[in-house]
Amino acid sequence: MSYLRWWSGGVVAAVLAVSWLPAGQLALAQTVDELRHDLESTKDTLRSAEERIRKFKEDIQIKKQEARSLQDQISVIEENISGLSLVIEQTSAEIANTEAEIEAVQKDIEVTEVEIARQKTILAEYIRSLYAFDQQSSVALFLKYATFSAAITEAATYEEMQTRGQEVLQEVKRLRQEMREKQTALEGFRTGLTQLQQRQEAQQATLASAKQSKERVLDLTKEQESEFQRLLAEAQRTHQSAEAEIGRLDAMIREELRKQGIGNLPSVGVLSWPVQPIFGVSCEFHCAGYPYAYLIGPHAGMDIPTNVGTPILAPADGYVARVRDSGGPGYSYILLLHGNKVSTVFGHVSGFAVGEGQMVSRGSVIGYSGGAPGTHGAGLSSGPHLHFEVRVDNAPVNPRQYL
């Protein structure tokens, strides 16, 4: 049998033997397809949760009412609880989606590993064939055939084997790079899953706090409506007093700092979030439907729902101008001064980690969030959150412009 015929029969047969898709790999491919189908289902669930949240936000703007009575306050709290529950449902859908992504990528990696092994087997066959060809001398090659054209044909086949071998080698390299990228993606999904699980834990704690707030308000029976009205009036006075105090202190302390040679406070640049918006923002700057607008005017900042006791981080370097502790359920807040006439206010604070006159750096803990009705520092509030204000030249502006 000539070498050419051996290569044509033996090598091609060997290459074909490893080129067809093994039953195990076919099963893997089917499993990946099934996983991709399941992944699309989880994405549909996630999209459905997002749509329900969007619809809820639209409806709430229509239904929101002023908290003028005890029942109104209960209704506002119940609406907040519904909103928090929907966001938790969305997070659960994101977790399920991420878990499905992880499983699908893991199966993709398995399929890629099988394909790399298959291509390496093909490459080994080419290398063995090329090695056998190389053992022949040029004279022996031509003497082996009766015609010159037959010898040329085998030489051309040798070149074809080299080309195909090079192509297989490049395919193995490509598959290895693809597998490295998939492994990187897998690590990213795993990190994202951990973050989602941590976010869900914080969301569950915030929801529990909101439900406790409802129970505290429900303790005020109808016979205590007058007591609720008294508390509202007191909260109104506290907030108005705080507003006047913030305006007065901002200008007065800046002037005092200027006299002391500290006139140029650090510029803010882009502000960092003082707490992570695990539920997004429940009420934006001047949001429609703010339930206490009839008492204290338009909403001067943004409300970021978060569990009571969440550390509040300084959004930029600054000077602690005021630490106002109500000593009870009244409104407590922190005022920071920054450069370029910018100041930041943090309301419904349940605890403090700084004192007046301190310089603080971006990211340092300055206090702890509150806002659950009836708890320390809550003031006028319908649930656990941080009220965050940005002021420029002592006038409230939309914090979104700086975050």
Side-chain angles (χ1 to χ4, degrees):
M1 178 187 292
S2 73
Y3 180 77
L4 178 61
R5 287 195 299 276
W6 171 82
W7 182 86
S8 300
V11 175
V12 170
V15 170
L16 285 175
V18 294
S19 298
W20 68 289
L21 193 63
Q25 189 176 357
L26 180 60
L28 272 175
Q30 289 172 338
T31 304
V32 170
D33 288 341
E34 291 167 0
L35 285 171
R36 288 296 175 194
H37 180 269
D38 292 343
L39 180 57
E40 281 305 310
S41 296
T42 62
K43 288 184 184 296
D44 288 341
T45 303
L46 178 57
R47 284 190 284 266
S48 175
E50 290 170 345
E51 176 60 22
R52 284 198 298 277
I53 289 173
R54 186 195 65 77
K55 186 69 167 58
F56 175 81
K57 287 180 177 177
E58 286 181 357
D59 292 344
I60 209 68
Q61 293 304 321
I62 299 171
K63 295 178 182 177
K64 260 189 175 177
Q65 52 190 323
E66 296 173 343
R68 291 180 181 269
S69 69
L70 183 57
Q71 186 56 50
D72 291 344
Q73 176 77 351
I74 293 171
S75 296
V76 170
I77 292 174
E78 286 176 340
E79 287 163 357
N80 286 342
I81 289 173
S82 297
L84 296 179
S85 299
L86 279 174
V87 175
I88 289 175
E89 185 181 334
Q90 179 188 19
T91 302
S92 297
E94 288 180 13
I95 287 173
N97 182 68
T98 304
E99 288 173 338
E101 291 276 14
I102 288 172
E103 191 173 359
V105 172
Q106 286 174 330
K107 287 299 179 184
D108 276 345
I109 289 173
E110 288 181 31
V111 170
T112 304
E113 287 173 339
V114 170
E115 179 62 15
I116 287 174
R118 189 178 75 87
Q119 293 288 344
K120 287 170 72 174
T121 303
I122 296 172
L123 183 60
E125 291 296 335
Y126 279 129
I127 291 171
R128 280 193 290 270
S129 300
L130 290 169
Y131 176 77
F133 192 97
D134 281 340
Q135 301 310 302
Q136 303 178 97
S137 67
S138 299
V139 174
L141 173 64
F142 280 93
L143 291 177
K144 189 167 60 173
Y145 294 99
T147 64
F148 182 76
S149 61
I152 293 297
T153 299
E154 183 167 348
T157 302
Y158 173 73
E159 292 180 2
E160 174 66 17
M161 279 195 298
Q162 285 183 314
T163 302
R164 292 292 301 277
Q166 185 63 30
E167 289 173 354
V168 173
L169 179 60
Q170 293 303 317
E171 177 65 7
V172 170
K173 289 180 179 179
R174 185 192 68 78
L175 287 169
R176 282 179 173 167
Q177 177 60 29
E178 182 181 298
M179 189 166 69
R180 281 193 291 268
E181 291 171 357
K182 288 176 180 176
Q183 287 169 335
T184 300
L186 181 62
E187 288 306 309
F189 282 127
R190 283 174 174 160
T191 300
L193 178 61
T194 300
Q195 292 172 344
L196 283 169
Q197 289 168 336
Q198 291 171 344
R199 186 207 299 174
Q200 189 178 55
E201 288 178 10
Q203 289 173 339
Q204 293 286 6
T206 306
L207 179 62
S209 183
K211 289 179 177 178
Q212 289 170 1
S213 299
K214 179 183 175 182
E215 292 304 315
R216 278 192 293 271
V217 175
L218 285 173
D219 286 341
L220 296 172
T221 63
K222 290 183 178 179
E223 287 74 23
Q224 293 172 303
E225 180 71 40
S226 60
E227 173 64 9
F228 178 72
Q229 294 299 329
R230 186 191 68 78
L231 291 173
L232 272 183
E234 182 181 327
Q236 179 186 30
R237 287 193 298 272
T238 302
H239 275 73
Q240 288 173 340
S241 173
E243 178 71 20
E245 183 180 51
I246 288 169
R248 178 176 57 81
L249 287 174
D250 190 300
M252 185 178 73
I253 293 176
R254 284 184 190 276
E255 177 59 24
E256 183 60 30
L257 289 173
R258 188 189 64 77
K259 290 177 181 178
Q260 295 177 16
I262 318 175
N264 294 321
L265 290 169
S267 297
V268 297
V270 176
L271 294 174
S272 304
W273 285 83
V275 296
Q276 284 301 307
I278 59 173
F279 284 104
V281 174
S282 59
C283 188
E284 296 278 1
F285 182 73
H286 286 191
C287 69
Y290 178 49
Y292 305 112
Y294 76 101
L295 285 173
I296 58 176
H299 195 231
M302 62 163 50
D303 288 345
I304 312 170
T306 191
N307 190 31
V308 172
T310 300
I312 303 168
L313 309 181
D317 297 348
Y319 177 85
V320 182
R322 184 74 167 108
V323 171
R324 206 290 184 177
D325 186 353
S326 66
Y331 186 64
S332 296
Y333 69 89
I334 298 171
L335 169 64
L336 297 185
L337 302 185
H338 311 279
N340 308 116
K341 296 183 178 181
V342 175
S343 56
T344 49
V345 180
F346 312 84
H348 311 296
V349 177
S350 64
F352 305 90
V354 292
E356 294 176 1
Q358 275 185 245
M359 292 295 294
V360 294
S361 56
R362 182 188 296 265
S364 59
V365 177
I366 60 173
Y368 302 91
S369 68
T375 61
H376 190 104
L380 278 174
S381 178
S382 59
H385 71 281
L386 175 69
H387 173 78
F388 177 53
E389 287 184 28
V390 176
R391 293 169 169 249
V392 178
D393 205 8
N394 216 5
V397 298
N398 191 342
R400 289 280 186 186
Q401 298 173 7
Y402 286 84
L403 288 167

